[in-house]
């Protein structure tokens, strides 16, 4: 994130997939923990002038909210939107489009 977003004004990150308590599965073998993400975002927000908005849609995504507050006194604004409370499941449903009959 710090490399490819360092010239951004504002940054929107959308994460969806498999989550757990303070974790997000990037792929089958890589797990991102909330502490690592916070470190990345804190460092990034010392470089970019704008805000960071994180939308996280997965099970237990709400466990990220308290951990991702910007460091106190940083003067940065970070918005975190999650689909569930800590420990709650996220449900993805496929809607079938009905054809005209």
């Amino acid at each position: 994130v710090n490399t490819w977003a360092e010239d951004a004004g504002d940054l929107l990150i959308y994460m969806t997939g498999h989550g757990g308590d303070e974790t997000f599965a990037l792929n089958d073998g890589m797990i991102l923990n909330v502490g690592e993400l916070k470190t990345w975002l804190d460092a990034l927000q010392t470089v970019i002038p704008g805000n960071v908005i994180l939308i996280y849609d997965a099970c237990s995504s709400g466990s990220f909210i308290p951990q991702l507050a910007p460091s106190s006194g940083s003067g940065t604004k970070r918005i975190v939107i999650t689909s569930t409370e800590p420990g709650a499941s996220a449900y993805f449903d496929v809607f079938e489009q009905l054809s005209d009959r």
Side-chain angles (χ1 to χ4, degrees):
V1 171
N2 294 333
T3 303
W4 56 262
E6 66 186 8
D7 61 347
D10 292 306
L11 179 64
L12 170 66
I13 300 172
Y14 179 71
M15 301 184 336
T16 185
H18 297 288
D21 187 36
E22 298 184 0
T23 62
F24 175 68
L26 293 171
N27 59 39
D28 288 337
M30 291 185 73
I31 301 295
L32 173 65
N33 71 57
V34 69
E36 187 172 17
L37 180 59
K38 178 176 174 37
T39 299
W40 294 347
L41 297 182
D42 286 349
L44 181 64
Q45 286 193 274
T46 65
V47 177
I48 68 170
N51 302 316
V52 169
I53 301 168
L54 172 72
I55 302 172
Y56 181 24
D57 189 3
C59 294
S60 296
S61 57
S63 66
F64 274 47
I65 292 174
Q67 305 297 324
L68 287 182
S71 299
S72 64
S74 67
T76 60
K77 185 172 181 182
R78 187 174 302 154
I79 299 167
V80 179
I81 301 167
T82 64
S83 62
T84 68
E85 297 177 350
S89 296
Y91 296 97
F92 296 87
D93 198 358
V94 176
F95 294 96
E96 184 177 322
Q97 183 175 352
L98 299 175
S99 61
D100 294 335
R101 296 180 193 183

